[in-house]
Amino acid sequence: MTLTGLDSDNPILLYLTGFQPHRTGPVEVILQTYSTHSHHLTEANQSPRCASRFLDTLRSQLPKMAEFANSKNYGVPIYGAGWVPPSALRSAVEPSADDEKDNGDKSSSSAPGNYVVLAGGGGEGNSGIRNALIVAQFDFDSNVLSDEPVARLGTGGDLPYRMAVHPGGEGLICSLPKSCRWFDWDFQTDENRSLGLRSSEKVLEPLEDVGQQLALTFNNEGSLLAVGGEDGKLRVFKWPSMENILDQANAHASVKDLDFSPDGKFLASVGSGPCRIWDVSKSTSVASLTKENDEIFGYCRFAPINDENQVLYITTMRDQGGSISKWSTTTWRRIKSKRVVRDPICAFNISPNGKLLAIGTIEGDVLIVSSNNFQVQNVVKKAHLGLVTTLKFSEDSRALLSASLDSRVRVTIIKEEKKSGLSLWIVILVLLIAIAVYYAASNGIFHWS
């Protein structure tokens, strides 16, 4: 075994440490951990000198190593993930009556920060890995995920497979092997005012004993809930009354993905066969988007901006790799398609501002793509050691949350694409030339002919 360098996806690095960088002092922790385990490197390379070179390389790569702070292993394979909406956090920062009394006009409470919620586990049986919902905290300023979950709620032998967070902050719904269950946010009123989850007394009767549901989504207003099952059945309910307004037994052989248009009028469903478009108010299918040649549809997302140029994005797979196609929501015809990645796409989403698309691959890579021209703006190679299971942008489109079966959760800060300054320099150059010519002409250095 030869160690020629250090990279965040180096399997030797991951094997030797098993550490989680702390929010403070990650450099010291990394150095201490690697110094402690240097004997493993010596044994692996049969050379103390090689181990010493390895530690020297480590010290030179510390800035890169600090990136581990935005990627944490929480001990369970993750299938669903989301950001806790700001509306759910407001009550956590509202001062209590006692706070106001003790502090006058000033409250002692502080903003709780940003939270992510995760769903996963080892499934049924005696895998030794608990099924649970997990809440973790993320600090945008330092780009750090909490070392440990701030809350964990076990779900017994039921694996929480898919999850939809209510946009109004009411709570979240999870699909379990046989039913769907609702969970409420639980605010701990200690001095840190931390966020957690609790099982709700609310029972979703229409979703009891319905089998495994593979897709869950709310519309933007949180007034509609769409659910798609492994059995191919599609259901749409009014929320929170759970009045059924669409019930299609054979929407697909199996429903894989669902998404509402920004105004909630249309619902796109993807499964085997074509992508189907449903008019929710009329409870009918209004379009069927056909595949080309050997295409396989994967995931669908409407552009979040509701205007006359509204479009729908669908991921497709062919032998040549993974592609994105854009469709008009007026004619329901394909506008364009482009291959963006060589590997199969296994996760997909769009940013709330509509500018970016996110793609996860079975190789663990995460790509950020322009929704306008499908140009790849950023690639995080081996963001995960296994296939990416879910992707979610933060509400302000500043960050992308990704998770995987490798139990690792990562937050990638979105860096704005730098615009070329060439045009500005050209303008400055033209102005300087004009000034020079004017000065020369004014001083009789040369005359215009």
Side-chain angles (χ1 to χ4, degrees):
M1 184 184 299
T2 303
L3 296 171
T4 57
L6 183 63
D7 197 272
S8 60
D9 60 359
N10 191 312
I12 300 174
L13 180 154
L14 296 172
Y15 166 75
L16 288 178
T17 61
F19 75 96
Q20 298 296 318
H22 295 279
R23 182 167 173 172
T24 57
V27 169
E28 290 78 5
V29 173
I30 295 168
L31 280 175
Q32 181 179 2
T33 303
Y34 273 87
S35 297
T36 301
H37 291 282
S38 61
H39 64 279
H40 288 293
L41 293 166
T42 302
E43 293 172 0
N45 293 272
Q46 300 299 314
S47 170
R49 186 176 300 172
C50 184
S52 177
R53 287 201 303 269
F54 177 76
L55 288 174
D56 290 340
T57 304
L58 170 66
R59 291 184 176 88
S60 68
Q61 298 287 329
L62 283 175
K64 182 181 291 187
M65 288 296 298
E67 295 178 4
F68 271 93
N70 70 336
S71 178
K72 297 294 170 66
N73 187 322
Y74 291 131
V76 299
I78 304 297
Y79 292 92
W83 293 86
V84 179
S87 53
L89 298 172
R90 290 193 187 109
S91 60
V93 299
E94 292 175 353
S96 65
D98 292 337
D99 287 336
E100 292 180 343
K101 183 177 180 180
D102 295 339
N103 298 285
D105 295 333
K106 297 180 180 180
S107 170
S108 62
S109 62
S110 58
N114 300 276
Y115 291 89
V116 297
V117 58
L118 315 164
E124 298 180 9
N126 298 317
S127 66
I129 301 175
R130 292 181 59 192
N131 301 309
L133 295 174
I134 295 171
V135 180
Q137 194 168 18
F138 179 71
D139 188 328
F140 270 100
D141 293 334
S142 58
N143 191 20
V144 172
L145 275 164
S146 56
D147 292 335
E148 299 292 336
V150 298
R152 186 188 296 262
L153 178 64
T155 56
D158 295 328
L159 172 68
Y161 182 65
R162 285 289 181 256
M163 177 181 69
V165 178
H166 190 273
E170 295 181 18
L172 61 88
I173 181 174
C174 271
S175 68
L176 305 175
K178 297 180 181 179
S179 304
C180 291
R181 190 185 305 172
W182 182 256
F183 296 87
D184 295 318
W185 301 117
D186 184 23
F187 299 106
Q188 305 297 324
T189 56
D190 55 18
E191 59 184 26
N192 294 322
R193 295 184 179 271
S194 59
L195 175 70
L197 283 166
R198 65 173 182 267
S199 295
S200 176
E201 296 179 356
K202 180 188 300 183
V203 177
L204 308 177
E205 293 184 2
L207 294 177
E208 289 286 305
D209 299 317
V210 292
Q212 182 71 68
Q213 302 302 296
L214 302 181
L216 306 168
T217 188
F218 286 101
N219 66 343
N220 285 347
E221 295 180 353
S223 59
L224 297 173
L225 169 67
V227 180
E230 190 175 31
D231 59 1
K233 191 168 186 175
L234 172 64
R235 300 173 176 89
V236 178
F237 302 93
K238 289 185 178 179
W239 183 266
S241 68
M242 292 301 289
E243 177 188 345
N244 193 321
I245 59 174
L246 193 156
D247 195 320
Q248 184 68 35
N250 299 302
H252 302 273
S254 181
V255 181
K256 185 176 182 181
D257 197 24
L258 298 168
D259 195 47
F260 282 103
S261 60
D263 58 6
K265 180 179 180 180
F266 297 112
L267 175 70
S269 65
V270 170
S272 55
C275 172
R276 301 186 69 178
I277 307 298
W278 308 84
D279 187 318
V280 178
S281 62
K282 298 178 180 178
S283 302
T284 58
S285 175
V286 295
S288 183
L289 313 187
T290 57
K291 302 180 293 183
E292 292 181 351
N293 302 323
D294 59 344
E295 277 184 334
I296 299 175
F297 286 161
Y299 304 90
C300 58
R301 289 293 181 272
F302 282 96
I305 310 301
N306 191 23
D307 57 22
E308 58 184 12
N309 298 317
Q310 176 68 46
V311 295
L312 171 69
Y313 299 97
I314 303 176
T315 66
T316 62
M317 187 63 202
R318 283 180 170 175
D319 291 340
Q320 298 91 339
S323 301
I324 303 174
S325 58
K326 180 188 291 187
W327 301 73
S328 166
T329 59
T330 303
T331 63
W332 299 114
R333 292 182 179 177
R334 189 187 302 240
I335 299 173
K336 71 172 183 177
S337 296
K338 182 178 180 180
R339 191 185 79 138
V340 293
V341 65
R342 179 179 58 187
D343 301 312
I345 297 171
C346 55
F348 179 64
N349 221 321
I350 187 168
S351 62
N353 63 15
K355 296 180 180 181
L356 300 172
L357 304 171
I359 287 173
T361 74
I362 63 171
E363 295 297 325
D365 300 337
V366 171
L367 292 82
I368 297 174
V369 181
S370 167
S371 63
N372 182 41
N373 54 20
F374 294 168
Q375 290 293 322
V376 176
Q377 295 188 1
N378 188 23
V379 179
V380 184
K381 296 290 291 183
K382 298 297 181 183
H384 298 275
L385 298 181
L387 63 86
V388 180
T389 52
T390 184
L391 295 165
K392 287 291 187 298
F393 283 94
S394 59
E395 190 176 73
D396 58 7
S397 303
R398 290 171 55 199
L400 176 66
L401 172 67
S402 61
S404 170
L405 295 181
D406 66 357
S407 304
R408 189 166 290 277
V409 179
R410 180 187 178 101
V411 176
T412 301
I413 297 296
I414 307 299
K415 298 178 181 179
E416 293 186 8
E417 189 176 19
K418 294 182 179 179
K419 297 181 180 179
S420 173
L422 182 61
S423 58
L424 176 62
W425 283 112
I426 291 175
V427 171
I428 294 174
L429 179 61
V430 170
L431 288 174
L432 290 174
I433 292 175
I435 293 171
V437 170
Y438 176 79
Y439 177 81
S442 299
N443 290 275
I445 297 177
F446 65 85
H447 299 280
W448 297 105
S449 58

